Amino acid sequence: MALNLRVKVHPVVLYQIVDAYERRNADSYRVIGTLLGTSDKGIVEVTNCFCVPHKEYDDQVEAELSYAMDVYDLNRRVNSSEAIVGWWATGHEVTNHSSVIHEYYSRECINPVHLTVDTSLQGGRMGLKAYICVNFGVPNGKQGCMFTPISVEIQCYDPEVFGIQLCQKAIGPSGRAWKINPAMDLQQVAEAGSKMGSLLDQVLSYVEDVLADRVPANNEVGRKLLHLVNSVPHMTSEQFSEMFNSNVKDLLMVITLSQLIKTQLQLNEKLTLLTSV
């Protein structure tokens, strides 16, 4: 059933929605657009989106649908796996015009998802909600539809997590953005190790509090900790050091070969210039 749908939104979609809201016309209080992604086995994964220019009046709404289809066709040339899965709108609630817009997207895909993003930051955070439209009414009578909330969550690929962490570092103490360059490989390893140590300290503190009856035990947390412990391979410190040193040697060999190839290409380029002169 459509009510069992789960929506997974990637951070790049939220960035695009916020960017479209910031670039909106002065007379526009709401921005809408198309959601792109995949839908399989009750899970809708939203990986991309784009803005659709529109105007809303008291009794009607106008949207540039030809523009939306042109942008969708261009996107299909770049990424053919992304299809229309629904539409998005800024704001924290469903408006009277939402059913009209949703009717159009119902012709473009099956069970389109309506995503609302609260760019006004009510409550100090950017609220994210997802809906589907459920038809209701009496048989052989007037039919209507109702927007029903469904489960929505944020899902990140590893490169997206790195990008989000880099953006967080760019925020200064006064809220202003600072210029931040990606850290070197060794610095990233050091930061990851430091973060790992901090997380392990939190886990140990929680376990000690549970054993001392200072906090109630949580079975779900216990199962996840057991899975974490069982996922760590059993090896001695000598075996770990040997494995680590072997991986470091392989990494250094790859770096050396890449530097040699780079130097060889630069020499060939200079020789080509000299022979052409």
Side-chain angles (χ1 to χ4, degrees):
M1 293 179 62
L3 291 176
N4 296 326
L5 284 177
R6 293 174 53 199
V7 181
K8 297 182 178 181
V9 183
H10 286 260
V12 66
V13 176
L14 300 179
Y15 278 106
Q16 288 175 292
I17 293 175
V18 172
D19 181 69
Y21 180 78
E22 291 294 328
R23 297 174 183 269
R24 73 189 188 282
N25 296 329
D27 57 345
S28 300
Y29 71 95
R30 190 166 83 136
V31 185
I32 68 171
T34 302
L35 295 175
L36 302 175
T38 57
S39 179
D40 184 37
K41 297 180 180 179
I43 297 178
V44 178
E45 186 172 353
V46 184
T47 56
N48 199 357
C49 71
F50 60 85
C51 177
V52 177
H54 84 297
K55 293 182 180 180
E56 296 187 32
Y57 305 97
D58 293 336
D59 56 346
Q60 64 178 353
V61 56
E62 298 178 356
E64 298 185 15
L65 301 181
S66 59
Y67 169 85
M69 294 310 300
D70 290 342
V71 175
Y72 175 61
D73 291 339
L74 291 173
N75 186 83
R76 291 280 291 180
R77 297 181 183 180
V78 178
N79 193 344
S80 59
S81 63
E82 290 182 345
I84 296 178
V85 295
W87 65 288
W88 59 268
T90 57
H92 62 280
E93 61 183 6
V94 178
T95 66
N96 295 331
H97 295 148
S98 297
S99 59
V100 179
I101 302 173
H102 198 85
E103 182 180 357
Y104 162 73
Y105 283 95
S106 298
R107 299 192 297 266
E108 299 298 328
C109 64
I110 301 175
N111 294 327
V113 173
H114 176 35
L115 189 72
T116 60
V117 181
D118 184 13
T119 50
S120 62
L121 301 180
Q122 291 191 2
R125 59 180 303 172
M126 188 169 61
L128 181 65
K129 296 181 181 179
Y131 303 88
I132 58 171
C133 194
V134 179
N135 296 323
F136 69 94
V138 295
N140 300 324
K142 188 176 181 179
Q143 299 290 323
C145 64
M146 177 178 62
F147 284 94
T148 304
I150 57 176
S151 175
V152 60
E153 61 186 70
I154 304 295
Q155 177 170 313
C156 304
Y157 296 138
D158 290 339
E160 292 175 328
V161 174
F162 176 76
I164 292 174
Q165 293 174 350
L166 191 63
C167 290
Q168 289 177 341
K169 294 179 182 178
I171 301 177
S174 60
R176 298 180 59 185
W178 297 83
K179 182 179 179 181
I180 300 294
N181 295 322
M184 301 298 291
D185 293 342
L186 291 179
Q187 185 179 353
Q188 294 181 23
V189 172
E191 291 179 356
S194 177
K195 184 177 180 180
M196 180 74 69
S198 177
L199 294 176
L200 289 176
D201 291 338
Q202 294 181 18
V203 171
L204 291 175
S205 177
Y206 170 78
V207 173
E208 291 175 355
D209 290 340
V210 171
L211 294 177
D213 295 330
R214 288 191 289 266
V215 296
N218 189 320
N219 294 332
E220 183 178 358
V221 175
R223 285 192 291 269
K224 290 183 178 180
L225 289 177
L226 180 62
H227 176 72
L228 176 64
V229 172
N230 292 333
S231 63
V232 177
H234 298 282
M235 61 177 61
T236 62
S237 57
E238 291 79 9
Q239 291 174 337
F240 177 79
S241 299
E242 183 179 355
M243 180 189 67
F244 181 79
N245 291 331
S246 177
N247 291 332
V248 169
K249 291 178 181 178
D250 293 340
L251 177 62
L252 292 176
M253 181 183 66
V254 172
I255 294 175
T256 303
L257 290 175
S258 63
Q259 292 294 335
L260 289 175
I261 294 173
K262 182 179 179 180
T263 304
Q264 183 68 28
L265 292 175
Q266 291 175 347
L267 289 174
N268 290 337
E269 182 179 359
K270 291 183 178 180
L271 290 174
T272 303
L273 292 175
L274 289 175
T275 53
S276 61
V277 173

Short mmCIF file of all heavy atoms in Angstrom, two decimals, residues 77-130:
data_model
loop_
_atom_site.label_atom_id
_atom_site.label_comp_id
_atom_site.label_asym_id
_atom_site.label_seq_id
_atom_site.Cartn_x
_atom_site.Cartn_y
_atom_site.Cartn_z
N ARG A 77 19.20 13.03 -19.80
CA ARG A 77 20.36 12.79 -20.65
C ARG A 77 21.62 12.60 -19.81
O ARG A 77 22.54 11.88 -20.21
CB ARG A 77 20.56 13.97 -21.61
CG ARG A 77 19.42 14.16 -22.60
CD ARG A 77 19.70 15.33 -23.52
NE ARG A 77 18.58 15.58 -24.44
CZ ARG A 77 18.57 16.54 -25.35
NH1 ARG A 77 19.63 17.35 -25.47
NH2 ARG A 77 17.52 16.70 -26.13
N VAL A 78 21.67 13.25 -18.65
CA VAL A 78 22.84 13.13 -17.77
C VAL A 78 22.75 11.91 -16.88
O VAL A 78 23.71 11.16 -16.70
CB VAL A 78 22.98 14.41 -16.91
CG1 VAL A 78 24.17 14.29 -15.96
CG2 VAL A 78 23.13 15.63 -17.81
N ASN A 79 21.57 11.69 -16.31
CA ASN A 79 21.38 10.56 -15.40
C ASN A 79 20.04 9.91 -15.73
O ASN A 79 18.99 10.36 -15.29
CB ASN A 79 21.39 11.04 -13.94
CG ASN A 79 21.51 9.89 -12.96
OD1 ASN A 79 21.30 8.74 -13.31
ND2 ASN A 79 21.86 10.22 -11.72
N SER A 80 20.10 8.84 -16.52
CA SER A 80 18.87 8.18 -16.97
C SER A 80 18.17 7.38 -15.88
O SER A 80 17.02 7.00 -16.04
CB SER A 80 19.19 7.25 -18.15
OG SER A 80 20.14 6.28 -17.76
N SER A 81 18.87 7.13 -14.76
CA SER A 81 18.26 6.33 -13.69
C SER A 81 17.33 7.15 -12.80
O SER A 81 16.56 6.58 -12.02
CB SER A 81 19.36 5.71 -12.82
OG SER A 81 20.14 6.71 -12.18
N GLU A 82 17.39 8.47 -12.89
CA GLU A 82 16.54 9.32 -12.06
C GLU A 82 15.22 9.61 -12.77
O GLU A 82 15.20 10.09 -13.90
CB GLU A 82 17.25 10.63 -11.72
CG GLU A 82 18.42 10.48 -10.78
CD GLU A 82 19.06 11.81 -10.45
OE1 GLU A 82 18.80 12.80 -11.15
OE2 GLU A 82 19.85 11.86 -9.48
N ALA A 83 14.14 9.29 -12.10
CA ALA A 83 12.80 9.54 -12.63
C ALA A 83 12.04 10.46 -11.67
O ALA A 83 12.46 10.69 -10.53
CB ALA A 83 12.05 8.23 -12.81
N ILE A 84 10.91 10.98 -12.13
CA ILE A 84 10.08 11.83 -11.28
C ILE A 84 9.41 10.97 -10.20
O ILE A 84 8.76 9.97 -10.50
CB ILE A 84 9.01 12.55 -12.12
CG1 ILE A 84 9.68 13.50 -13.13
CG2 ILE A 84 8.06 13.34 -11.23
CD1 ILE A 84 8.69 14.21 -14.04
N VAL A 85 9.60 11.35 -8.94
CA VAL A 85 8.99 10.62 -7.82
C VAL A 85 8.03 11.50 -7.02
O VAL A 85 7.42 11.02 -6.07
CB VAL A 85 10.08 10.05 -6.89
CG1 VAL A 85 10.90 8.99 -7.62
CG2 VAL A 85 10.99 11.15 -6.36
N GLY A 86 7.92 12.78 -7.36
CA GLY A 86 7.02 13.65 -6.63
C GLY A 86 7.41 15.11 -6.80
O GLY A 86 8.07 15.47 -7.77
N TRP A 87 7.01 15.92 -5.82
CA TRP A 87 7.30 17.35 -5.89
C TRP A 87 7.52 17.89 -4.49
O TRP A 87 7.15 17.27 -3.49
CB TRP A 87 6.19 18.10 -6.60
CG TRP A 87 4.86 18.09 -5.88
CD1 TRP A 87 4.02 17.03 -5.74
CD2 TRP A 87 4.25 19.19 -5.20
NE1 TRP A 87 2.91 17.39 -5.02
CE2 TRP A 87 3.01 18.71 -4.69
CE3 TRP A 87 4.60 20.51 -4.99
CZ2 TRP A 87 2.15 19.52 -3.96
CZ3 TRP A 87 3.74 21.32 -4.27
CH2 TRP A 87 2.53 20.84 -3.76
N TRP A 88 8.17 19.05 -4.42
CA TRP A 88 8.49 19.66 -3.13
C TRP A 88 7.98 21.09 -3.10
O TRP A 88 7.69 21.71 -4.13
CB TRP A 88 10.00 19.65 -2.88
CG TRP A 88 10.82 20.36 -3.93
CD1 TRP A 88 11.39 19.80 -5.03
CD2 TRP A 88 11.14 21.76 -3.97
NE1 TRP A 88 12.05 20.75 -5.77
CE2 TRP A 88 11.92 21.98 -5.14
CE3 TRP A 88 10.87 22.84 -3.15
CZ2 TRP A 88 12.40 23.23 -5.49
CZ3 TRP A 88 11.35 24.09 -3.50
CH2 TRP A 88 12.11 24.28 -4.65
N ALA A 89 7.84 21.59 -1.90
CA ALA A 89 7.42 22.97 -1.69
C ALA A 89 8.01 23.46 -0.38
O ALA A 89 8.18 22.69 0.57
CB ALA A 89 5.90 23.08 -1.67
N THR A 90 8.35 24.74 -0.34
CA THR A 90 8.82 25.34 0.90
C THR A 90 7.63 25.70 1.77
O THR A 90 6.55 26.03 1.27
CB THR A 90 9.68 26.57 0.62
OG1 THR A 90 8.91 27.52 -0.14
CG2 THR A 90 10.92 26.20 -0.17
N GLY A 91 7.83 25.67 3.06
CA GLY A 91 6.75 25.94 4.00
C GLY A 91 6.57 24.78 4.96
O GLY A 91 7.15 23.70 4.77
N HIS A 92 5.77 24.99 5.98
CA HIS A 92 5.59 23.96 7.01
C HIS A 92 4.21 23.31 6.97
O HIS A 92 3.86 22.55 7.87
CB HIS A 92 5.81 24.58 8.40
CG HIS A 92 4.83 25.67 8.74
ND1 HIS A 92 4.98 26.95 8.27
CD2 HIS A 92 3.70 25.66 9.49
CE1 HIS A 92 3.97 27.69 8.72
NE2 HIS A 92 3.19 26.93 9.45
N GLU A 93 3.41 23.60 5.93
CA GLU A 93 2.08 23.03 5.86
C GLU A 93 1.64 22.87 4.41
O GLU A 93 2.24 23.44 3.49
CB GLU A 93 1.08 23.90 6.62
CG GLU A 93 0.97 25.31 6.04
CD GLU A 93 0.03 26.19 6.85
OE1 GLU A 93 -0.44 25.74 7.91
OE2 GLU A 93 -0.23 27.33 6.40
N VAL A 94 0.59 22.08 4.23
CA VAL A 94 -0.01 21.88 2.92
C VAL A 94 -1.04 22.98 2.69
O VAL A 94 -1.88 23.26 3.55
CB VAL A 94 -0.68 20.50 2.83
CG1 VAL A 94 -1.35 20.31 1.48
CG2 VAL A 94 0.36 19.40 3.06
N THR A 95 -1.00 23.63 1.52
CA THR A 95 -1.89 24.73 1.21
C THR A 95 -3.07 24.27 0.37
O THR A 95 -3.15 23.09 -0.04
CB THR A 95 -1.13 25.85 0.48
OG1 THR A 95 -0.72 25.37 -0.80
CG2 THR A 95 0.09 26.28 1.28
N ASN A 96 -3.98 25.19 0.08
CA ASN A 96 -5.16 24.87 -0.73
C ASN A 96 -4.79 24.51 -2.17
O ASN A 96 -5.51 23.77 -2.84
CB ASN A 96 -6.13 26.05 -0.73
CG ASN A 96 -6.70 26.33 0.65
OD1 ASN A 96 -6.83 25.41 1.47
ND2 ASN A 96 -7.03 27.58 0.92
N HIS A 97 -3.68 25.06 -2.66
CA HIS A 97 -3.27 24.80 -4.04
C HIS A 97 -2.47 23.51 -4.19
O HIS A 97 -2.15 23.12 -5.32
CB HIS A 97 -2.43 25.97 -4.56
CG HIS A 97 -3.22 27.25 -4.66
ND1 HIS A 97 -2.63 28.49 -4.47
CD2 HIS A 97 -4.53 27.49 -4.91
CE1 HIS A 97 -3.55 29.43 -4.60
NE2 HIS A 97 -4.70 28.84 -4.88
N SER A 98 -2.13 22.87 -3.08
CA SER A 98 -1.29 21.68 -3.15
C SER A 98 -1.97 20.54 -3.89
O SER A 98 -1.33 19.79 -4.62
CB SER A 98 -0.90 21.23 -1.74
OG SER A 98 -0.11 22.21 -1.09
N SER A 99 -3.27 20.40 -3.72
CA SER A 99 -3.98 19.31 -4.40
C SER A 99 -3.97 19.49 -5.91
O SER A 99 -3.89 18.51 -6.67
CB SER A 99 -5.43 19.23 -3.89
OG SER A 99 -6.10 20.46 -4.11
N VAL A 100 -4.02 20.76 -6.38
CA VAL A 100 -3.98 21.01 -7.82
C VAL A 100 -2.62 20.64 -8.39
O VAL A 100 -2.52 20.00 -9.45
CB VAL A 100 -4.31 22.49 -8.11
CG1 VAL A 100 -4.23 22.77 -9.60
CG2 VAL A 100 -5.67 22.85 -7.56
N ILE A 101 -1.57 21.04 -7.70
CA ILE A 101 -0.22 20.71 -8.16
C ILE A 101 0.01 19.21 -8.09
O ILE A 101 0.62 18.61 -8.99
CB ILE A 101 0.82 21.47 -7.32
CG1 ILE A 101 0.57 22.98 -7.40
CG2 ILE A 101 2.23 21.14 -7.79
CD1 ILE A 101 1.44 23.80 -6.46
N HIS A 102 -0.50 18.58 -7.03
CA HIS A 102 -0.30 17.14 -6.86
C HIS A 102 -1.01 16.35 -7.96
O HIS A 102 -0.54 15.28 -8.38
CB HIS A 102 -0.82 16.72 -5.49
CG HIS A 102 -0.31 15.39 -5.04
ND1 HIS A 102 0.90 15.22 -4.41
CD2 HIS A 102 -0.84 14.13 -5.16
CE1 HIS A 102 1.09 13.95 -4.13
NE2 HIS A 102 0.05 13.26 -4.58
N GLU A 103 -2.12 16.87 -8.44
CA GLU A 103 -2.85 16.19 -9.52
C GLU A 103 -2.01 16.11 -10.78
O GLU A 103 -2.05 15.11 -11.51
CB GLU A 103 -4.16 16.93 -9.79
CG GLU A 103 -5.02 16.28 -10.85
CD GLU A 103 -6.30 17.05 -11.10
OE1 GLU A 103 -6.55 18.06 -10.39
OE2 GLU A 103 -7.05 16.66 -12.01
N TYR A 104 -1.24 17.19 -11.06
CA TYR A 104 -0.37 17.15 -12.24
C TYR A 104 0.70 16.07 -12.09
O TYR A 104 0.95 15.29 -13.03
CB TYR A 104 0.29 18.51 -12.45
CG TYR A 104 1.50 18.46 -13.34
CD1 TYR A 104 1.37 18.28 -14.72
CD2 TYR A 104 2.78 18.56 -12.81
CE1 TYR A 104 2.48 18.20 -15.54
CE2 TYR A 104 3.89 18.49 -13.62
CZ TYR A 104 3.75 18.31 -14.98
OH TYR A 104 4.85 18.24 -15.79
N TYR A 105 1.34 15.99 -10.91
CA TYR A 105 2.40 15.01 -10.71
C TYR A 105 1.84 13.59 -10.65
O TYR A 105 2.60 12.63 -10.87
CB TYR A 105 3.20 15.34 -9.46
CG TYR A 105 4.16 16.48 -9.67
CD1 TYR A 105 3.81 17.79 -9.35
CD2 TYR A 105 5.42 16.25 -10.22
CE1 TYR A 105 4.69 18.84 -9.57
CE2 TYR A 105 6.31 17.29 -10.44
CZ TYR A 105 5.94 18.58 -10.11
OH TYR A 105 6.80 19.63 -10.33
N SER A 106 0.56 13.44 -10.35
CA SER A 106 -0.05 12.11 -10.37
C SER A 106 -0.10 11.55 -11.79
O SER A 106 -0.17 10.33 -11.98
CB SER A 106 -1.47 12.17 -9.79
OG SER A 106 -1.44 12.58 -8.44
N ARG A 107 -0.07 12.44 -12.79
CA ARG A 107 -0.03 11.99 -14.18
C ARG A 107 1.38 11.67 -14.65
O ARG A 107 1.56 11.03 -15.69
CB ARG A 107 -0.64 13.06 -15.09
CG ARG A 107 -2.11 13.37 -14.78
CD ARG A 107 -2.74 14.19 -15.88
NE ARG A 107 -2.11 15.51 -16.02
CZ ARG A 107 -2.56 16.61 -15.43
NH1 ARG A 107 -3.63 16.55 -14.63
NH2 ARG A 107 -1.95 17.76 -15.60
N GLU A 108 2.38 12.13 -13.90
CA GLU A 108 3.78 11.90 -14.29
C GLU A 108 4.38 10.66 -13.63
O GLU A 108 5.34 10.10 -14.15
CB GLU A 108 4.62 13.13 -13.92
CG GLU A 108 4.19 14.41 -14.63
CD GLU A 108 4.33 14.32 -16.13
OE1 GLU A 108 5.25 13.63 -16.60
OE2 GLU A 108 3.51 14.94 -16.83
N CYS A 109 3.84 10.24 -12.49
CA CYS A 109 4.37 9.07 -11.79
C CYS A 109 3.27 8.47 -10.92
O CYS A 109 2.24 9.11 -10.66
CB CYS A 109 5.60 9.42 -10.96
SG CYS A 109 5.28 10.57 -9.60
N ILE A 110 3.51 7.26 -10.45
CA ILE A 110 2.55 6.56 -9.60
C ILE A 110 2.85 6.91 -8.14
O ILE A 110 4.00 6.85 -7.70
CB ILE A 110 2.64 5.04 -9.82
CG1 ILE A 110 2.36 4.70 -11.28
CG2 ILE A 110 1.67 4.30 -8.91
CD1 ILE A 110 2.53 3.23 -11.61
N ASN A 111 1.81 7.26 -7.39
CA ASN A 111 1.94 7.62 -5.97
C ASN A 111 3.03 8.67 -5.76
O ASN A 111 4.05 8.42 -5.09
CB ASN A 111 2.24 6.39 -5.12
CG ASN A 111 1.08 5.40 -5.09
OD1 ASN A 111 -0.07 5.81 -5.14
ND2 ASN A 111 1.40 4.12 -5.00
N PRO A 112 2.88 9.86 -6.33
CA PRO A 112 3.90 10.89 -6.12
C PRO A 112 3.99 11.32 -4.67
O PRO A 112 2.99 11.33 -3.94
CB PRO A 112 3.40 12.05 -7.01
CG PRO A 112 1.93 11.84 -7.11
CD PRO A 112 1.73 10.35 -7.10
N VAL A 113 5.18 11.66 -4.26
CA VAL A 113 5.44 12.09 -2.89
C VAL A 113 5.47 13.62 -2.85
O VAL A 113 6.05 14.25 -3.74
CB VAL A 113 6.78 11.52 -2.38
CG1 VAL A 113 7.14 12.10 -1.02
CG2 VAL A 113 6.70 10.00 -2.31
N HIS A 114 4.85 14.18 -1.85
CA HIS A 114 4.90 15.63 -1.63
C HIS A 114 5.78 15.90 -0.42
O HIS A 114 5.51 15.43 0.68
CB HIS A 114 3.50 16.19 -1.41
CG HIS A 114 3.49 17.66 -1.10
ND1 HIS A 114 4.39 18.54 -1.66
CD2 HIS A 114 2.70 18.39 -0.27
CE1 HIS A 114 4.14 19.76 -1.20
NE2 HIS A 114 3.14 19.70 -0.35
N LEU A 115 6.86 16.65 -0.65
CA LEU A 115 7.83 16.95 0.40
C LEU A 115 7.75 18.44 0.75
O LEU A 115 7.77 19.29 -0.14
CB LEU A 115 9.24 16.61 -0.08
CG LEU A 115 10.37 16.65 0.94
CD1 LEU A 115 10.24 15.48 1.91
CD2 LEU A 115 11.73 16.61 0.25
N THR A 116 7.62 18.75 2.02
CA THR A 116 7.60 20.14 2.48
C THR A 116 8.86 20.39 3.31
O THR A 116 9.23 19.59 4.16
CB THR A 116 6.36 20.44 3.33
OG1 THR A 116 6.33 19.59 4.48
CG2 THR A 116 5.09 20.24 2.52
N VAL A 117 9.50 21.51 3.04
CA VAL A 117 10.72 21.91 3.75
C VAL A 117 10.46 23.29 4.35
O VAL A 117 10.20 24.25 3.63
CB VAL A 117 11.93 21.96 2.80
CG1 VAL A 117 13.19 22.36 3.57
CG2 VAL A 117 12.13 20.61 2.13
N ASP A 118 10.53 23.37 5.67
CA ASP A 118 10.25 24.62 6.37
C ASP A 118 11.49 25.50 6.36
O ASP A 118 12.35 25.39 7.24
CB ASP A 118 9.79 24.33 7.80
CG ASP A 118 9.39 25.60 8.54
OD1 ASP A 118 9.23 26.64 7.88
OD2 ASP A 118 9.26 25.55 9.78
N THR A 119 11.60 26.36 5.36
CA THR A 119 12.76 27.26 5.27
C THR A 119 12.64 28.46 6.18
O THR A 119 13.59 29.24 6.30
CB THR A 119 12.91 27.75 3.82
OG1 THR A 119 11.65 28.25 3.35
CG2 THR A 119 13.35 26.60 2.91
N SER A 120 11.49 28.63 6.85
CA SER A 120 11.36 29.73 7.82
C SER A 120 11.97 29.38 9.17
O SER A 120 12.05 30.24 10.05
CB SER A 120 9.88 30.08 8.01
OG SER A 120 9.16 28.97 8.53
N LEU A 121 12.38 28.11 9.33
CA LEU A 121 13.08 27.65 10.54
C LEU A 121 12.24 27.88 11.79
O LEU A 121 12.72 28.41 12.80
CB LEU A 121 14.44 28.33 10.68
CG LEU A 121 15.43 28.13 9.52
CD1 LEU A 121 16.73 28.87 9.80
CD2 LEU A 121 15.70 26.66 9.28
N GLN A 122 10.99 27.48 11.73
CA GLN A 122 10.16 27.55 12.93
C GLN A 122 10.65 26.53 13.95
O GLN A 122 10.90 25.38 13.63
CB GLN A 122 8.69 27.28 12.59
CG GLN A 122 8.04 28.37 11.77
CD GLN A 122 6.54 28.19 11.69
OE1 GLN A 122 5.99 27.26 12.26
NE2 GLN A 122 5.88 29.09 10.98
N GLY A 123 10.77 26.98 15.18
CA GLY A 123 11.30 26.11 16.23
C GLY A 123 12.80 25.95 16.18
O GLY A 123 13.36 25.07 16.85
N GLY A 124 13.49 26.78 15.36
CA GLY A 124 14.94 26.73 15.31
C GLY A 124 15.51 25.63 14.45
O GLY A 124 16.72 25.38 14.49
N ARG A 125 14.70 24.98 13.64
CA ARG A 125 15.21 23.92 12.78
C ARG A 125 14.41 23.87 11.49
O ARG A 125 13.30 24.40 11.41
CB ARG A 125 15.18 22.56 13.47
CG ARG A 125 13.80 22.12 13.92
CD ARG A 125 13.85 20.76 14.59
NE ARG A 125 14.43 19.78 13.70
CZ ARG A 125 14.74 18.54 14.09
NH1 ARG A 125 14.56 18.17 15.33
NH2 ARG A 125 15.25 17.69 13.22
N MET A 126 14.98 23.24 10.48
CA MET A 126 14.34 23.14 9.18
C MET A 126 13.49 21.88 9.14
O MET A 126 13.99 20.78 8.93
CB MET A 126 15.38 23.12 8.06
CG MET A 126 14.81 23.22 6.66
SD MET A 126 16.08 23.50 5.41
CE MET A 126 17.09 22.04 5.62
N GLY A 127 12.19 22.05 9.37
CA GLY A 127 11.29 20.91 9.41
C GLY A 127 11.16 20.24 8.06
O GLY A 127 11.06 20.90 7.02
N LEU A 128 11.11 18.92 8.07
CA LEU A 128 11.02 18.13 6.85
C LEU A 128 9.88 17.13 7.01
O LEU A 128 9.89 16.32 7.94
CB LEU A 128 12.34 17.40 6.58
CG LEU A 128 12.42 16.54 5.32
CD1 LEU A 128 12.31 17.40 4.07
CD2 LEU A 128 13.71 15.74 5.30
N LYS A 129 8.89 17.20 6.11
CA LYS A 129 7.74 16.31 6.16
C LYS A 129 7.44 15.78 4.76
O LYS A 129 7.72 16.44 3.77
CB LYS A 129 6.50 17.01 6.72
CG LYS A 129 6.64 17.47 8.16
CD LYS A 129 5.37 18.15 8.64
CE LYS A 129 5.51 18.62 10.08
NZ LYS A 129 4.29 19.31 10.57
N ALA A 130 6.88 14.57 4.72
CA ALA A 130 6.51 13.95 3.45
C ALA A 130 5.06 13.49 3.52
O ALA A 130 4.59 13.03 4.57
CB ALA A 130 7.42 12.77 3.13
#
